[in-house]
């Protein structure tokens, strides 16, 4: 666990030079930690450590762009997506088996270019939408409510994200994520894909 934390800290520091490779690496780490993808080495039945996994798999994360509207408070943010079924994962060196588990396949994060913070928004075991809302409200120059932020986020019309649904989930008590498809965890369910 200590190695993972140090590796994430180094990766986070490296994000200051913001590149596609850094975004891809964030996704690799988050997918591995979520057990969304698993690997075995050819030489043994042992699971490789996270650092060698990140170095020996390639994936291409796509940026979700919106040309229609972007709220002023969202200019420092970028949205990225990886689909474990439809986007390719290339396995290098001695890794032989790639298992991808889950009912859904789309993982989305939002990155703040200024603070270098990422927010898991779709597909992951944890959803950071409440943290995203808090950070936007905290750093926006004018006073703005959660509901106003959500309304403006929805104006971006990003088909992969339903900000109203996420907000309703946050306000629901008790929390029942099964009522909210926008909060689905992709690793729930049975294996959906296997490459050898």
């Amino acid at each position: 666990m200590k190695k993972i934390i140090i590796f994430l800290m180094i990766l986070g520091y490296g994000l200051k030079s913001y590149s596609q490779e850094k975004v891809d690496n964030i996704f690799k780490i988050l997918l591995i930690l979520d057990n969304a993808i698993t690997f075995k080495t050819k030489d043994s039945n042992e699971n490789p450590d996270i650092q060698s996994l990140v170095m020996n798999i390639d994936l291409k994360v796509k940026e979700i762009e919106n040309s229609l509207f972007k709220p002023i408070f969202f200019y420092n943010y970028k949205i990225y997506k990886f689909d474990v079924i439809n986007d390719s994962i290339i396995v290098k060196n001695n890794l032989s088996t790639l298992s991808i588990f889950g009912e859904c396949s789309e993982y989305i994060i939002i990155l703040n270019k200024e603070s270098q913070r990422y927010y898991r928004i779709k597909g992951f075991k944890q959803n950071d939408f409440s943290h995203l809302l808090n950070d936007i409200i905290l750093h926006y120059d004018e006073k703005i409510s959660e509901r106003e932020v959500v309304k403006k986020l929805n104006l971006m019309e990003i088909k992969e994200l339903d900000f109203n649904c996420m907000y309703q989930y946050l306000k629901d008590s008790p929390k029942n994520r099964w009522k909210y498809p926008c909060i689905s965890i992709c690793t729930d369910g049975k294996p959906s894909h296997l490459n050898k």
Side-chain angles (χ1 to χ4, degrees), residues 28 42 54-58 90-96:
K28 290 177 197 178
K42 288 180 183 176
V54 169
M55 304 307 250
N56 288 301
I57 59 173
D58 282 334
I90 299 165
V91 181
K92 301 185 284 189
N93 293 336
N94 66 341
L95 296 176
S96 62

Side-chain angles (χ1 to χ4, degrees), residues 6-23:
I6 291 169
F7 189 68
L8 285 170
M9 286 171 57
I10 292 168
L11 180 66
Y13 179 76
L15 270 175
K16 301 254 185 232
S17 61
Y18 221 83
S19 70
Q20 183 65 42
E21 181 183 1
K22 300 282 194 279
V23 174

Side-chain angles (χ1 to χ4, degrees), residues 18-58:
Y18 221 83
S19 70
Q20 183 65 42
E21 181 183 1
K22 300 282 194 279
V23 174
D24 293 348
N25 284 340
I26 288 173
F27 262 92
K28 290 177 197 178
I29 292 168
L30 292 175
L31 291 170
I32 292 164
L33 292 176
D34 243 27
N35 290 321
I37 52 178
T38 59
F39 302 89
K40 297 280 184 203
T41 59
K42 288 180 183 176
D43 304 331
S44 71
N45 285 335
E46 293 179 24
N47 290 328
D49 64 74
I50 193 164
Q51 194 168 359
S52 63
L53 281 175
V54 169
M55 304 307 250
N56 288 301
I57 59 173
D58 282 334

